[in-house]
Amino acid sequence: MPTPSERSITLCNAGCYAVDAQKFFHWAQSLKNDNAQHEYYLTDVPLLARADGVACAIALADEVSVLGVNSRAELAQAESKFQDRARARLLHEGVTMTAAGNGVSGP
C-alpha cells in the first residue's frame, strides 16, 4: 500500500536513461528480484549508481515526447503527434504552409 508521501509523487518514469553503457550493464547485472513480484526493476539502477557515488538527475519531459512505440499503429500515432507539434511551432514562428496533397502517388 503506497504511503501518503508516495501518493503525492506526480512524476512518471518514462524508462529513458542516459548513462555509460558499461556502467549501466554492471549495475543491471547487480539487480535483484527479491520483491513481491520477483521481477527485476531497471528503475533500481539509479539507486545502484548513487551507491557507487555517481550523481543522478532527472529530466522533465511532456508525455508526448516520451511516448512508447510498440507497433506500427503506435508509430503512426507518435509521428502524427510530432508533426502536429512541429507544424504548430513553425506556424507560430511565421512559416506559411500549404497542403501539398496527401502524399500518395499513383496512376
Side-chain angles (χ1 to χ4, degrees), residues 1-9:
M1 181 73 64
T3 67
S5 176
E6 291 170 333
R7 288 183 187 276
S8 72
I9 298 170

Side-chain angles (χ1 to χ4, degrees), residues 4 6-7 9 16 20 25 44 48 52 60 63 65 67 72 78 80 82-85 90-91:
E6 291 170 333
R7 288 183 187 276
I9 298 170
C16 302
D20 176 272
F25 288 118
D44 289 340
L48 298 170
D52 281 351
L60 298 178
E63 64 183 82
S65 296
L67 282 174
R72 293 185 66 78
S80 176
F82 167 79
Q83 289 174 352
D84 289 345
R85 289 173 69 170
L90 291 169
L91 289 169

